[in-house]
Amino acid sequence: MRLRKSLVMLVYLLFVLVPIYWLVNMSFKSNREILGGLSLWPAAPTLDNYRVIFTEPTWYMSYLNSLSYVSMNMLISLLVALPAAYAFSRYRFLGDRHMFFWLLTNRMAPPAVFLLPFFQLYSAVGLFDTPIAVALAHCLFNVPLAVWILEGFMSSVPKEIDETAYIDGYTFPKFFIRIFLPMIRPGIGVTAFFCFMFSWVELLLARTLTSVDAKPIVAQMTRTVSASGIDWGVLAAAGVVALLPGIAVIYFVRNHVAKGFALGRV
C-alpha cells in the first residue's frame, strides 16, 4: 500500500513538474534550437530571452501593471469583504441569506457577461486603460468569494468573545483590529491567496479593459507574434517570470493556507 501511494505521488509530481521544467528549459534556448527538435536541456544556454524581458519597456512595464492592479484588487477586496463577512456572521436581518446567495451568484457568472458593461462604463468615465479599472472589475468576482470564505472563519469564533470585549470597554474598531482580526489570520491568508490567483491569471477583462498604458503581462504574452513568427524563447522566459509572484505569495501564506483548508470553508 505504501509503495502504491509513493508511485501515485511520483506520477502526480511528474505530471505537475514536467511542464514547468520544460518551460524553464525553453527559456534558456534560442528560437532556432527550440524549433530544431526536442532536447532535455539547452545545448547552448542563453540569457537573451530574459534580457529582453528586463530591458524592453513593453515587457517589464506589463509586469508592473499586473502587480499594481493585483495588489489594489487584493486590498480593496479585503477591505470590503471583512466588514461584510462580519455582518453576515454576527447579525440576522431580513433577507440576509438571500443577499448572501446573490453575492455568490456574481462569482458564478463568467467574466464575459460583464465585459461590455465594464468597457462602456470605464470608457465613459475615463478609467479605460488604467490599473484601477481592472482592479475594480476583478472585485466583482473576488469580493463575493472573499465574503464567503471569511464568513466561515468568523462564524467559528464564539460570539462571547465580542461580548467580553465590549464589557472590558473595547470600542468596535479597537476590538475588530486588535482582537478579532488576529483570530482569523488563516482566513485572511486564504482569502488573499485566492484573490491574488484569480486576478493574476484572469485574461479576458484584463485584456479588454487595457490597451497600452496599463497592459498586463497576461495580455502581453498573447501578443508575441511578429513578422518572423512567435518568439518562443521570450514567451517561455515571460512565463517563468510570471510564475515567481505566485510562488512568493504561496510561500508567505503557506501556513495560513494550510490552516484555512483544514478549518475554513475552502
Side-chain angles (χ1 to χ4, degrees):
M1 181 63 67
R2 183 175 299 177
L3 181 60
R4 288 181 181 179
K5 290 182 179 180
S6 300
L7 288 175
V8 171
M9 182 60 66
L10 179 61
V11 172
Y12 173 76
L13 288 176
L14 288 175
F15 180 77
V16 172
L17 295 179
V18 166
I20 298 177
Y21 168 75
W22 207 261
L23 183 71
V24 176
N25 181 30
M26 288 176 59
S27 70
F28 290 103
K29 294 180 179 180
S30 64
N31 255 8
R32 179 177 298 179
E33 185 177 353
I34 293 173
L35 298 176
L38 298 178
S39 59
L40 295 179
W41 49 81
T46 178
L47 294 176
D48 290 342
N49 299 320
Y50 290 96
R51 191 175 294 111
V52 171
I53 297 297
F54 291 110
T55 57
E56 290 193 5
T58 53
W59 280 106
Y60 65 75
M61 285 305 300
S62 65
Y63 279 103
L64 295 179
N65 290 334
S66 293
L67 290 173
S68 175
Y69 74 69
V70 167
S71 301
M72 286 190 289
N73 175 260
M74 286 176 57
L75 181 61
I76 295 172
S77 297
L78 287 174
L79 289 177
V80 173
L82 281 169
Y86 182 84
F88 280 118
S89 68
R90 287 298 189 262
Y91 304 111
R92 292 293 174 264
F93 50 89
L94 183 63
D96 55 347
R97 295 295 97 183
H98 298 290
M99 185 177 294
F100 196 69
F101 175 76
W102 174 76
L103 279 173
L104 290 178
T105 57
N106 287 339
R107 184 64 181 85
M108 297 173 188
V113 173
F114 305 98
L115 191 60
L116 183 58
F118 275 135
F119 180 80
Q120 291 187 330
L121 176 63
Y122 290 159
S123 298
V125 300
L127 287 179
F128 178 74
D129 200 21
T130 61
I132 188 64
V134 184
L136 292 175
H138 286 174
C139 283
L140 182 64
F141 302 93
N142 279 337
V143 168
L145 179 65
V147 171
W148 182 68
I149 294 175
L150 290 171
E151 194 270 342
F153 281 90
M154 292 181 179
S155 296
S156 64
V157 178
K159 294 183 179 180
E160 289 76 13
I161 294 179
D162 307 41
E163 299 169 356
T164 303
Y166 297 147
I167 293 174
D168 291 341
Y170 278 84
T171 62
F172 177 76
K174 188 177 180 180
F175 155 74
F176 193 74
I177 295 174
R178 294 191 177 182
I179 297 178
F180 197 77
L181 289 186
M183 298 181 69
I184 60 167
R185 276 184 298 182
I188 296 175
V190 171
T191 304
F193 168 75
F194 279 104
C195 289
F196 173 87
M197 292 307 297
F198 172 82
S199 193
W200 184 256
V201 303
E202 197 279 328
L203 173 62
L204 185 60
L205 290 172
R207 183 173 184 178
T208 305
L209 299 178
T210 59
S211 60
V212 179
D213 295 334
K215 183 169 59 177
I217 184 59
V218 289
Q220 178 63 29
M221 290 178 67
T222 63
R223 299 170 182 171
T224 57
V225 181
S226 62
S228 58
I230 300 177
D231 198 337
W232 295 106
V234 172
L235 189 59
V240 172
V241 179
L243 291 175
L244 299 181
I247 294 173
V249 169
I250 293 174
Y251 176 80
F252 285 114
V253 302
R254 64 191 186 282
N255 294 329
H256 295 319
V257 170
K259 292 179 182 177
F261 277 100
L263 303 177
R265 50 170 59 179
V266 180

